[in-house]
Amino acid sequence: MGPSDLQRYERLLVEKRRELSSALGEGQSRVPTAGGLEGDLIDQANADEEAELQTRLHQTDGRLLRAIEEAFGRIRHGTYGVCEVSKEPISEARLEAVVLDARPP
């Protein structure tokens, strides 16, 4: 993988990190409180379910951010695009899929 490829992936990762950071910030203000006493039992159950879903999405975004930070470390160390287990190069199609298909905000 050449320097221009690395720069491209780094730009894509920076953009994805920005999107996820923004989503995490917005998501915290949208998370409903679970166990509220407003509405009937169905409304309360729906609020609990929504709170749980938002919490899981928040956790997933946090894991994606950590993975992006780890990718920046691999770029700095010259090991980005190389499988950590087999030490073989990762195909560009796979790298594209991983960077571009991370959960959108």
Side-chain angles (χ1 to χ4, degrees):
M1 178 177 310
S4 63
D5 294 324
L6 281 175
Q7 288 175 344
R8 179 173 175 274
Y9 286 117
E10 189 169 19
R11 282 192 308 273
L12 290 170
L13 288 165
V14 165
E15 177 63 22
K16 188 56 69 174
R17 179 177 60 184
R18 186 191 62 74
E19 291 172 4
L20 288 169
S21 294
S22 176
L24 279 172
E26 291 173 8
Q28 288 201 324
S29 63
R30 291 185 314 210
V31 175
T33 304
L37 298 176
E38 295 183 20
D40 62 18
L41 290 176
I42 293 174
D43 290 338
Q44 291 172 22
N46 285 336
D48 288 350
E49 187 67 29
E50 179 66 20
E52 184 177 335
L53 174 64
Q54 290 299 324
T55 298
R56 287 184 184 177
L57 290 173
H58 182 77
Q59 291 169 341
T60 299
D61 288 348
R63 284 190 293 271
L64 285 171
L65 279 173
R66 284 189 296 281
I68 288 171
E69 293 304 323
E70 290 171 5
F72 286 130
R74 288 191 297 279
I75 288 172
R76 283 190 299 276
H77 292 106
T79 58
Y80 185 79
V82 177
C83 177
E84 293 177 346
V85 175
S86 70
K87 306 300 184 215
E88 295 292 321
I90 299 171
S91 73
E92 288 193 31
R94 176 70 179 143
L95 291 173
E96 291 278 329
V98 169
V99 172
L100 298 177
D101 291 339
R103 191 183 82 72

